[in-house]
Amino acid sequence: MEAQLELIRDQQRETWNTFSPGWRKWDEFTMNWLRPMGDELIRTLSLKETDNVLDVAAGTGEPGLTVASLVPRGHVTITDLAEGMLDVARDNADRRQITNTRILACDVSELPFEDESFDAVSCRLGFMYFPDMLQAALEMVRVLKPGGKLAAAVWSTPDKNFWITASMSTINGNLHLSPPPAGAPGMFRCGNPGFLAALLREAGLKNVTEKAVTGQLECGTNENYWNFMNDVVAPVVAALRNETQSTRDRIRRDVFSLLDQNFAGKRVTPDYGALVVSGQK
């Protein structure tokens, strides 16, 4: 891997390890929110109970742990770059008494598995952050058995994700942040329809399909929304980390005002949109 890509990878590992306590705190809330994406991934994979499945960028364990319950005579390997996130996954597996899993930290660009090891591969909300997306896809395809399926979920475009733009548009309006370089890892890097599908085809998959998944972030209150964003969502935390308390308070008030405009007298449930893309080897 090129030195610049290695630097990005190492920075991401540090970031996700730093955020792992927040993900542990909000794990049940977050997994309920993301479940529709995981359910669509699982549906697309057409799993058999004997399948050997790889879940890449699994974070705190999903959808891999749910997959494990669907392949009782099979096995699920759950991987992520950040050991801190996988510590939560291990605790979740123990709590749910799921035993047909292996959990290990590794780099998606250098998967430590033999060729054609897995019947299926899943990856929920990982591709956008991979330093080299094509290399990651090629590695997933390499370890996939002939005829096996790969399914990945990514965030759609900003206009379909008010859950994050409510905060980031307000932060940008106050701080005038510089946009990231074109093509840099980020939340909406794979959001344009057809982008990830073309990447999977380039990696050698066939019968590639794409489906939109939509839903809401069920926050309930402005305060709950704000606390979640500041505990879990990396772009928000990074933008506000070095700001004064008065600046943070002003942005918080502006975010609350925007939420009130959209959810006056109602529960705070900002929309999200994702794409689930799958293909067959």
Side-chain angles (χ1 to χ4, degrees):
M1 183 182 289
E2 296 178 12
Q4 181 61 28
L5 298 181
E6 289 184 356
L7 177 61
I8 294 171
R9 178 199 61 193
D10 293 345
Q11 289 172 338
Q12 289 182 346
R13 179 189 291 114
E14 181 181 358
T15 295
W16 290 111
N17 278 325
T18 299
F19 276 87
S20 60
W23 279 80
R24 181 183 291 277
K25 172 183 174 181
W26 291 91
D27 189 59
E28 182 177 1
F29 176 87
T30 306
M31 293 305 104
N32 286 336
W33 168 46
L34 300 179
R35 183 167 290 117
M37 287 177 233
D39 289 347
E40 181 58 25
L41 283 175
I42 291 168
R43 185 198 67 77
T44 302
L45 291 174
S46 304
L47 297 169
K48 302 184 294 295
E49 65 174 15
T50 56
D51 277 347
N52 186 24
V53 182
L54 173 65
D55 189 21
V56 176
T60 61
E62 288 293 344
L65 294 176
T66 296
V67 169
S69 67
L70 301 175
V71 294
R73 296 195 293 127
H75 195 270
V76 179
T77 301
I78 292 172
T79 70
D80 196 88
L81 187 62
E83 186 64 49
M85 299 290 279
L86 292 177
D87 285 342
V88 184
R90 291 186 183 93
D91 290 345
N92 286 337
D94 290 344
R95 176 175 52 81
R96 293 161 61 177
Q97 298 183 321
I98 296 172
T99 58
N100 59 331
T101 59
R102 173 173 53 160
I103 299 175
L104 75 158
C106 65
D107 181 357
V108 65
S109 294
E110 300 173 335
L111 292 172
F113 311 116
E114 298 293 328
D115 295 355
E116 302 178 2
S117 297
F118 298 96
D119 298 289
V121 178
S122 62
C123 180
R124 185 173 68 179
L125 301 180
F127 262 98
M128 313 91 67
Y129 302 111
F130 296 151
D132 188 330
M133 293 182 291
L134 179 58
Q135 177 61 26
L138 288 168
E139 275 292 274
M140 292 185 208
V141 172
R142 177 183 67 79
V143 303
L144 187 62
K145 294 179 182 179
K149 289 185 175 181
L150 185 158
V154 294
W155 292 118
S156 183
T157 48
D159 59 295
K160 294 180 172 61
N161 283 282
F162 186 59
W163 75 272
I164 176 67
T165 60
S167 288
M168 288 309 300
S169 64
T170 304
I171 290 170
N172 285 328
N174 278 269
L175 303 181
H176 308 292
L177 301 175
S178 299
M187 191 167 289
F188 301 119
R189 185 187 188 195
C190 301
N192 288 330
F195 178 89
L196 183 57
L199 185 74
L200 296 187
R201 291 189 186 98
E202 186 177 356
L205 296 184
K206 58 187 179 181
N207 303 324
V208 176
T209 64
E210 178 177 290
K211 181 176 180 179
V213 177
T214 60
Q216 290 79 39
L217 179 62
E218 298 280 350
C219 300
T221 66
N222 291 350
E223 193 70 37
N224 206 42
Y225 169 84
W226 182 252
N227 290 338
F228 172 73
M229 299 300 285
N230 280 271
D231 282 343
V232 170
V233 183
V236 173
V237 177
L240 298 179
R241 181 181 293 124
N242 297 320
E243 297 302 320
T244 64
Q245 188 61 48
S246 62
T247 298
R248 292 169 61 89
D249 289 344
R250 183 178 72 250
I251 291 172
R252 178 178 178 273
R253 287 194 299 270
D254 290 349
V255 169
F256 280 25
S257 177
L258 181 57
L259 293 173
D260 288 341
Q261 293 173 34
N262 286 268
F263 304 106
K266 299 182 292 185
R267 289 178 57 82
V268 176
T269 56
D271 292 338
Y272 72 79
L275 299 172
V276 173
V277 184
S278 66
Q280 188 174 29
K281 184 171 179 180

